Amino acid sequence: MGEELKVIVFALGNEQYGIEVDRVRTIERMLPITRVPKTPAFIKGVINLRGVVIPVLDLRGRFGLEQTEATENSRIIIVAANDLEVGFIVDSANDVIDIDSDAIDTPPEVVGGIKAKYLRGVAKLGEQRLLIMLNLAEVLNKDEIIQLERIEE
């Protein structure tokens, strides 16, 4: 048995993804987003969360998935990555579950059109359910982190 990981489960389309709870600061309903010029299309802008300006990325755009309008279920998951807080727009945030780290396999090269570099692994949950674990370090690559730090200034 490996160590138990607490994971926040969220959805993008029909796929289920996970981020370790200790990387997540908060989950918010959709907030007004201020667009920032000269940023990649998947960087939606910034939000003011309790007096803190936080850059917001659309994970659908980041992963090259079809863009959709925000719904009642859409959420912004605020994560901590390299001393930077960033919001991810997701279709819904469903659950907090425990996963045995031994249940996480190396991801195949491409999962649902998403490059494997963005993925830490795929966790098997029972017979029918797979959970795609995000690699936050790659979702936010170094160049983008520098751009996001400039947005905060």
Side-chain angles (χ1 to χ4, degrees):
M1 288 287 287
E3 63 179 296
E4 284 283 306
L5 295 174
K6 274 212 178 307
V7 175
I8 302 243
V9 178
F10 65 91
L12 290 176
N14 296 326
E15 301 296 330
Q16 301 275 306
Y17 296 84
I19 299 178
E20 292 90 342
V21 166
D22 61 357
R23 304 297 294 272
V24 176
R25 294 281 187 254
T26 179
I27 299 174
E28 302 290 331
R29 292 186 180 274
M30 291 302 291
L31 297 163
I33 298 173
T34 304
R35 187 86 184 116
V36 177
K38 297 184 181 169
T39 56
F42 65 86
I43 297 178
K44 288 299 177 197
V46 294
I47 58 172
N48 182 344
L49 185 64
R50 294 181 275 285
V52 178
V53 175
I54 297 175
V56 177
L57 309 185
D58 184 346
L59 275 188
R60 281 180 163 273
R62 180 67 173 123
F63 294 159
L65 302 173
E66 181 185 341
Q67 296 294 303
T68 60
E69 290 296 314
T71 68
E72 180 73 22
N73 294 326
S74 297
R75 296 290 181 265
I76 300 175
I77 299 177
I78 310 294
V79 299
N82 307 325
D83 300 329
L84 177 69
E85 287 190 347
V86 178
F88 292 142
I89 299 173
V90 300
D91 293 349
S92 64
N94 308 326
D95 220 347
V96 177
I97 60 172
D98 291 317
I99 296 178
D100 185 330
S101 61
D102 289 345
I104 300 174
D105 291 335
T106 311
E109 281 305 303
V110 174
V111 176
I114 298 170
K115 294 188 187 104
K117 74 174 188 170
Y118 298 138
L119 310 179
R120 185 176 138 208
V122 177
K124 292 187 201 91
L125 309 177
E127 291 298 311
Q128 299 295 315
R129 190 171 169 206
L130 292 176
L131 184 69
I132 301 165
M133 300 294 296
L134 287 191
N135 177 350
L136 288 182
E138 285 298 333
V139 172
L140 294 169
N141 72 32
K142 287 181 179 47
D143 294 340
E144 285 152 2
I145 289 171
I146 290 166
Q147 267 192 318
L148 292 174
E149 285 171 343
R150 285 191 191 125
I151 288 173
E152 286 192 326
E153 290 171 357

